Amino acid sequence: MFFEVFLFLVWLAVLSFAADRFVYGAAAMAKNFGISPMVIGLTIVAMGSSAPEIVVSATASLNGNINTAIGNAIGSNITNIALVLGLTALLKPLLISSSTLKREMPVLLFFSLLATYMLSDLFLSRTEGLILIVFFFAVIGALVWMSFNLESNDPLIAETESEIPTNVPTSKAIFWLIMGLILLPLSANFMVDSAVVIAKAFGLSDLVIGLTIIAIGTSLPELAASIAGVLKNEDDMALGNIIGSNIFNILAVMAMPGLIAPGLIDEFAAHRDVYIMLGLNILLILMSFNLRGIRRINRIEGLALIACFAAYQFVLFG
C-alpha cells in the first residue's frame, strides 16, 4: 500500500510537470506565430491549469470509472474555491479589480446550474456531454473575442501578459509541446490505476476517490499558480486561474464521461456534491462583488473557505 501511495505521488508529479511543459510549449509556439499574448493568456494558459483534470477524467472514463471522472470534475471545483482560494486569501488578501473576472463569475454560476440540472436525473448522457463540449468551444471563442475588447486599464492585461514565455525557439516550444502530449495521458493512466488500488484498500467508492485524492492532486497546479500570483501582487490573475479552471472543469472535464462512457452516476454526486459546488460558487460571487467596484477577499473569508473544505471532508469520510 505504501508503494501504491508512492507511485500515485510520483505520477501526480509527472502529470503536473507534463501539464506545465505542455502549456509552456503551446504558449511559446503561439507567441512565435504572432498570436496576441492576451489571447494566449485567456485561452492556452487558462485551459492549461485544467489539463490534468481533463486527461484524468478521460482516462477514468475509458476505464469505465464514470463516477471517478464525475467526482474529479466536481471535487476539483470544490477544492479550487474552498482550499486553493482559501489558502491563497489566508496568505494574502485578494484585491479584485478586474471587470473581466466580474463578468466571468456569473458565467461560472450559469454552468454550475447547468451541471446541477444535468446530473439531477442520475444519468449523464452522450447528448449532455456533447452540449458541454460545445459550450466549451463557445467559451474559448468568447475569451478570444474578449481579449480584443478589454478595457485598456484592466489590470488583468498586464498580469496575463507577464505569464507568457518569451524568446523561446520554436524547436524548443515544439519539443515541450510534444513531450507534454506524451506524458499527460501516460501519467494520468498510471495515477488513476494507483488511486483505484488505494481507494479499494480503504473501502472508498469511485466517487469519493475522484472527489478527494484525485481532485486535490489535480488541483495542485491551480494552488501553485494562485500562490505565485498573489506573491507577485497579481491578485486578479490568481483568482482568474480559479474561475477559468472551474469553468473548464464543468465544460471539458465533466464532458469526458458523457462522451466516452455515458451512464448512471452515484446519487451522492447529484444530490450532495454538485450542490456543495454550486453553493461555493455562489459564496465566491458574494465575496467578490462590491457595488463600489473594488472588493477584497480577506483572511477571515479565506479561513471560512478552508473551514468549509474541512467540513466537507468530514462529511465524505464521516
Side-chain angles (χ1 to χ4, degrees):
M1 180 49 56
F2 288 110
F3 183 65
E4 285 296 338
V5 172
F6 171 75
L7 286 178
F8 176 85
L9 294 174
V10 168
W11 289 115
L12 173 61
V14 174
L15 181 72
S16 299
F17 172 78
D20 177 74
R21 292 295 87 189
F22 170 77
V23 172
Y24 176 85
M29 191 161 66
K31 173 81 172 174
N32 290 351
F33 282 120
I35 297 176
S36 161
M38 198 61 199
V39 172
I40 298 171
L42 287 178
T43 56
I44 296 174
V45 175
M47 189 168 54
S49 62
S50 288
E53 286 94 336
I54 294 171
V55 179
V56 167
S57 183
T59 301
S61 299
L62 287 169
N63 293 340
N65 299 323
I66 181 174
N67 286 306
T68 300
I70 293 290
N72 183 29
I74 297 174
S76 292
N77 279 17
I78 292 172
T79 302
N80 282 347
I81 295 177
L83 182 63
V84 174
L85 182 59
L87 287 174
T88 304
L90 199 60
L91 177 67
K92 178 182 175 292
L94 285 145
L95 182 67
I96 305 163
S97 52
S98 171
S99 59
T100 304
L101 295 185
K102 293 179 181 179
R103 285 196 297 266
E104 288 183 2
M105 287 182 193
V107 174
L108 173 58
L109 179 60
F110 168 76
F111 288 128
S112 298
L113 288 167
L114 178 63
T116 303
Y117 171 75
M118 285 183 171
L119 298 182
S120 63
D121 61 354
L122 304 183
F123 189 89
L124 187 65
S125 67
R126 184 165 280 115
T127 299
E128 289 169 331
L130 185 61
I131 291 171
L132 290 174
I133 207 68
V134 168
F135 268 125
F136 171 71
F137 286 110
V139 166
I140 294 294
L143 287 173
V144 172
W145 177 85
M146 187 187 300
S147 68
F148 292 110
N149 293 275
L150 283 178
E151 300 172 6
S152 59
N153 61 345
D154 194 313
L156 193 61
I157 295 178
E159 293 178 14
T160 299
E161 292 184 354
S162 69
E163 298 297 314
I164 309 302
T166 56
N167 300 320
V168 179
T170 301
S171 58
K172 183 178 179 180
I174 292 174
F175 170 80
W176 284 119
L177 179 63
I178 294 174
M179 186 63 67
L181 287 172
I182 293 172
L183 289 178
L184 272 169
L186 184 68
S187 56
N189 183 63
F190 287 117
M191 194 187 86
V192 169
D193 287 345
S194 294
V196 169
V197 172
I198 295 168
K200 294 191 181 304
F202 286 99
L204 302 177
S205 67
D206 289 345
L207 175 64
V208 171
I209 198 65
L211 288 167
T212 55
I213 182 173
I214 292 180
I216 295 171
T218 55
S219 292
L220 291 179
E222 284 89 345
L223 178 60
S226 295
I227 289 178
V230 296
L231 290 178
K232 292 186 289 185
N233 293 317
E234 297 175 348
D235 295 12
D236 289 304
M237 174 62 73
L239 183 59
N241 285 330
I242 292 171
I243 296 173
S245 176
N246 280 17
I247 291 174
F248 292 145
N249 284 344
I250 293 173
L251 300 182
V253 180
M254 195 175 289
M256 292 298 106
L259 294 172
I260 298 171
L264 292 170
I265 63 171
D266 192 307
E267 64 176 331
F268 285 112
H271 297 155
R272 178 193 63 194
D273 305 310
V274 75
Y275 284 103
I276 292 173
M277 178 189 78
L278 179 61
L280 284 170
N281 284 330
I282 293 172
L283 185 59
L284 172 62
I285 290 175
L286 293 175
M287 289 181 174
S288 303
F289 272 84
N290 188 327
L291 295 177
R292 292 190 297 272
I294 296 177
R295 181 71 172 88
R296 187 185 299 272
I297 299 179
N298 58 43
R299 286 190 172 93
I300 293 176
E301 291 168 329
L303 190 60
L305 288 172
I306 295 173
C308 288
F309 183 78
Y312 177 59
Q313 299 304 306
F314 179 79
V315 169
L316 289 180
F317 292 102

